Amino acid sequence: MQYLKDIFYLFYPNLCVNCKITLLQNEQFLCAICCNELPIIDDNEYVNLTLLSPFYGKVIVKNVRSFMYYQKQGITQKIIHELKYKNQPEIGVFIANWFGSQLKESDVFNNVDYIIPVPLHKKKLKKRGYNQLTKFGESLSDILNIEYKAGVLIKSSIAKTQTFKHRFERFSDSKTNFKLTNFKVFENKHILLIDDVITTGATLVACCNELLKVKNITISIATMAYTKKG
């Protein structure tokens, strides 16, 4: 069996998502050099307050953590693009294993009851075939020993792409996109809401606004990436 795998690998080598060199058989998605160049976010008080800043004055969030800085044309953008649009949901596992070990060591989410993903609308889910957060969330669930619970928060409408919209317009468009199907399950619970990238925070704020309709809920946020300003 290993012989067949070696033959397959010879003719169909895996390439680094970033630099496109052939990966060694013990490497996944990124070569060792590119792994070392990942813009991983430091876990310190100043940075953690910065991660909270997109939510100030909008919604109450207990803690926010993110794994990598996101910049256009950078390594993080390429990884997220492959994850979302190139049918590589296993990249979510790769990120979760690394990020999850850091979160477990910090104990920042040790009192969280459920992990829930920002949902895709059913039409977009059918078109893409998967939610890019599913394997990421399931892997975090295993590492942190927190139940992963999808399907309670749903996306009820499809907004036009928000990439080129101004900040105010993006927040306006996101206000009514998400709905809870059950208001009891999260009562008196601490929820960890997960997403891929924090840009303006509009999508996450919209999700939080719906979740905050639940009695005595606490919300924290964890994302794969955070958009670095400048």
Side-chain angles (χ1 to χ4, degrees), residues 13-221:
N14 292 318
L15 302 179
C16 175
V17 167
N18 183 55
C19 68
K20 304 303 180 185
I21 70 167
T22 301
L23 294 175
L24 301 176
Q25 288 186 311
N26 63 338
E27 294 175 333
Q28 282 189 308
F29 304 111
L30 291 174
C31 67
I33 293 173
C34 290
C35 277
N36 288 331
E37 292 179 354
L38 270 180
I40 295 174
I41 297 174
D42 292 331
D43 187 352
N44 62 58
E45 185 175 357
Y46 172 77
V47 171
N48 294 336
L49 287 173
T50 300
L51 295 177
L52 275 166
S53 62
F55 309 100
Y56 290 154
K58 301 180 182 77
V59 290
I60 297 174
V61 176
K62 184 173 183 180
N63 288 301
V64 179
R65 294 293 185 274
S66 195
F67 181 53
M68 304 173 285
Y69 285 114
Y70 182 100
Q71 288 182 303
K72 289 183 178 180
Q73 309 305 319
I75 298 176
T76 303
Q77 184 187 41
K78 294 176 184 178
I79 295 171
I80 299 296
H81 183 81
E82 292 286 323
L83 168 66
K84 292 178 71 171
Y85 305 114
K86 299 296 184 179
N87 195 29
Q88 295 208 63
E90 292 296 329
I91 290 177
V93 179
F94 171 75
I95 296 172
N97 286 339
W98 197 337
F99 189 28
S101 64
Q102 295 180 351
L103 295 176
K104 187 174 183 178
E105 184 176 348
S106 73
D107 283 335
V108 64
F109 298 134
N110 63 349
N111 62 348
V112 168
D113 298 292
Y114 295 108
I115 295 172
I116 64 171
V118 170
L120 286 180
H121 190 273
K122 59 184 179 181
K123 288 184 179 178
K124 184 173 286 188
L125 182 62
K126 183 177 180 180
K127 181 179 180 180
R128 185 177 298 171
Y130 61 97
N131 184 334
Q132 71 273 11
L133 299 173
T134 299
K135 288 188 178 291
F136 174 67
E138 290 172 346
S139 297
L140 284 181
S141 171
D142 291 339
I143 295 166
L144 302 177
N145 195 28
I146 302 169
E147 183 177 348
Y148 179 74
K149 203 168 190 66
V152 178
L153 181 68
I154 62 171
K155 189 163 188 181
S156 56
S157 61
I158 300 179
K160 294 180 180 179
T161 180
Q162 298 185 12
T163 305
F164 301 107
K165 292 185 179 180
H166 295 297
R167 181 182 296 265
F168 176 78
E169 291 174 324
R170 291 174 70 172
F171 271 100
S172 298
D173 286 347
S174 298
K175 283 183 179 178
T176 58
N177 284 349
F178 301 96
K179 299 293 181 184
L180 279 166
T181 62
N182 186 325
F183 283 84
K184 292 291 184 181
V185 67
F186 295 147
E187 280 189 4
N188 306 305
K189 302 297 184 184
H190 186 178
I191 305 305
L192 181 60
L193 180 64
I194 61 169
D195 201 3
D196 45 27
V197 182
I198 299 175
T199 305
T200 65
T203 298
L204 288 162
V205 167
C207 289
C208 289
N209 279 329
E210 183 66 13
L211 288 166
L212 286 168
K213 295 176 183 178
V214 174
K215 182 180 178 182
N216 198 32
I217 193 173
T218 301
I219 303 171
S220 288
I221 291 170

